[in-house]
Amino acid sequence: MTEAELLQLIEQAAREGWTELDLNRKGLTSLPGEMRQLQKLTALYLRYNSLNTLPAEIGQLRNLTALDLCFNHLTILPAEIGQLPNLTTLDLSSNRLSNLPIEIGQLKNLAALYLSYNLLRTLPVEVGQLQNLTRLFLNSNHLNVLPTEIGQLQNLTKLYLRSNRLSILPVGIGQLENLTELDLSDNFLSTLPKEIGRLKNLTALNLRSNRLNTLPIEIGQLESLTEFDLHSNQLRTLPTEIGQLQKLEELYLSNNSLNDLPTEIGQLQSLVIVDLGYNQLKALPMKVGQLQNLTSLDLSGNPLELYFAGV
């Protein structure tokens, strides 16, 4: 789309009071200041373009509720992004952002923030002001730390942090008591804070491909957990408290260094899938035979001498 064609379309949209404007895949490299004319716009779609900046006038689109900028070349956001009081969905995935303006914290109605596949190393502490946020996606960035203020996101239900550089979690993670999905796979975590046990509504916890050698006993307090992925860590043992996860259906423990299992694993009557491949197990506790709902048990790559200890 040429600049002249874009200006003509903006003029038509303003004249006719459009509430949505689809500019996906238009080959755009910039947006004109004339965008400010679109005062009735509630949804603006700009994915798959080549935008590297946004005009300050974007902040004048006060009725916007959805702004999609996925798959562009953005390296910076204007401070005026914080002037969009009605924004509920902001998609900035697959850009080149290395930081966020502190004004991001002014988006009080934001419910979904997508930032995966950028170059973020840190998050501004102001992210903790997004009190209505329910979904935060930060996969594939360069984050090595999370601000403690992330614990203020009391309405968050989904937090995705896959493929970052996190070596530690703030204890404030335990304040996210409405969280149902937490993905921390492909990071550098060697320990978990005991406060993780406060996530009573968590149903899926993905810790695949970290450096965990132990789990806190508080892991047994995750009473709603149905899926637990610990594939490719450095675990040698499991806490006996794992037997308290009565709703657990899927447990992935392959590629660790487990040499035995606690007998309490036999208490997990809801288990359907258990992956124990490529550990150091020589025997299984007899109570594994009590897992009546089990449909898949992977024991490949273990030096098993007895299937059940004591047999």
Side-chain angles (χ1 to χ4, degrees):
M1 175 178 279
T2 66
E3 183 179 357
E5 290 171 334
L6 178 56
L7 289 172
Q8 184 178 8
L9 184 62
I10 290 172
E11 182 182 347
Q12 179 186 359
R15 185 175 62 251
E16 297 178 1
W18 290 8
T19 58
E20 293 191 9
L21 181 58
D22 186 345
L23 292 172
N24 292 338
R25 300 179 186 273
K26 300 298 183 184
L28 302 176
T29 57
S30 64
L31 295 176
E34 285 80 359
M35 294 290 294
R36 64 181 175 274
Q37 299 173 23
L38 304 176
Q39 291 299 305
K40 293 188 178 180
L41 212 60
T42 60
L44 177 57
Y45 304 104
L46 287 157
R47 61 171 48 203
Y48 291 103
N49 282 289
S50 299
L51 300 171
N52 50 43
T53 60
L54 296 177
E57 288 82 359
I58 198 82
Q60 297 181 31
L61 305 182
R62 308 280 289 178
N63 287 309
L64 268 188
T65 60
L67 178 56
D68 189 345
L69 289 155
C70 184
F71 292 101
N72 276 279
H73 300 160
L74 295 172
T75 58
I76 193 169
L77 295 179
E80 289 79 5
I81 198 82
Q83 297 174 12
L84 302 175
N86 294 304
L87 204 62
T88 59
T89 302
L90 177 57
D91 193 340
L92 293 160
S93 336
S94 299
N95 277 279
R96 299 172 183 174
L97 296 170
S98 57
N99 56 63
L100 299 175
I102 62 175
E103 290 80 6
I104 201 86
Q106 297 172 18
L107 302 177
K108 303 299 185 184
N109 287 305
L110 201 62
L113 179 55
Y114 301 92
L115 288 160
S116 296
Y117 299 97
N118 275 283
L119 303 171
L120 297 172
R121 293 185 180 276
T122 59
L123 297 177
V125 297
E126 288 78 8
V127 76
Q129 299 171 17
L130 303 177
Q131 294 297 301
N132 287 305
L133 203 64
T134 61
R135 286 162 286 165
L136 179 55
F137 287 73
L138 288 157
N139 294 335
S140 298
N141 277 278
H142 297 163
L143 295 171
N144 51 36
V145 67
L146 297 177
T148 58
E149 289 78 4
I150 203 164
Q152 298 171 17
L153 303 178
Q154 296 292 303
N155 288 306
L156 206 61
T157 60
K158 296 182 181 181
L159 177 56
Y160 284 75
L161 288 155
R162 184 182 70 244
S163 298
N164 277 281
R165 299 174 181 177
L166 298 171
S167 58
I168 193 168
L169 296 179
V171 296
I173 201 85
Q175 297 173 25
L176 304 178
E177 295 186 7
N178 286 307
L179 211 59
T180 60
E181 297 179 18
L182 177 56
D183 188 346
L184 289 158
S185 57
D186 293 297
N187 277 280
F188 301 141
L189 298 171
S190 57
T191 60
L192 299 176
K194 64 180 182 179
E195 287 79 5
I196 203 162
R198 294 172 56 183
L199 304 180
K200 304 294 187 183
N201 290 304
L202 203 63
T203 60
L205 177 55
N206 192 341
L207 291 161
R208 172 182 291 243
S209 298
N210 276 278
R211 299 174 179 178
L212 297 170
N213 48 49
T214 60
L215 297 177
I217 61 175
E218 289 80 6
I219 209 77
Q221 297 171 16
L222 301 179
E223 57 192 35
S224 298
L225 204 62
T226 61
E227 183 179 340
F228 196 7
D229 193 340
L230 288 156
H231 172 83
S232 294
N233 277 278
Q234 298 170 15
L235 297 171
R236 293 184 178 276
T237 60
L238 298 177
T240 59
E241 288 78 7
I242 200 167
Q244 298 170 20
L245 304 178
Q246 293 298 301
K247 294 184 179 179
L248 198 63
E249 297 176 1
E250 300 178 26
L251 179 58
Y252 301 95
L253 286 159
S254 56
N255 289 95
N256 277 279
S257 299
L258 296 171
N259 48 40
D260 61 19
L261 298 176
T263 58
E264 287 79 4
I265 203 165
Q267 298 171 18
L268 303 178
Q269 291 298 305
S270 296
L271 274 181
V272 177
I273 298 172
V274 177
D275 185 354
L276 290 161
Y278 298 94
N279 278 280
Q280 301 300 318
L281 298 172
K282 293 183 178 181
L284 300 180
M286 291 189 66
K287 289 193 174 181
V288 168
Q290 298 175 9
L291 302 177
Q292 310 246 340
N293 290 307
L294 206 61
T295 61
S296 176
L297 175 60
D298 190 345
L299 295 166
S300 56
N302 280 281
L304 286 169
E305 298 173 358
L306 299 171
Y307 274 102
F308 296 108
V311 174

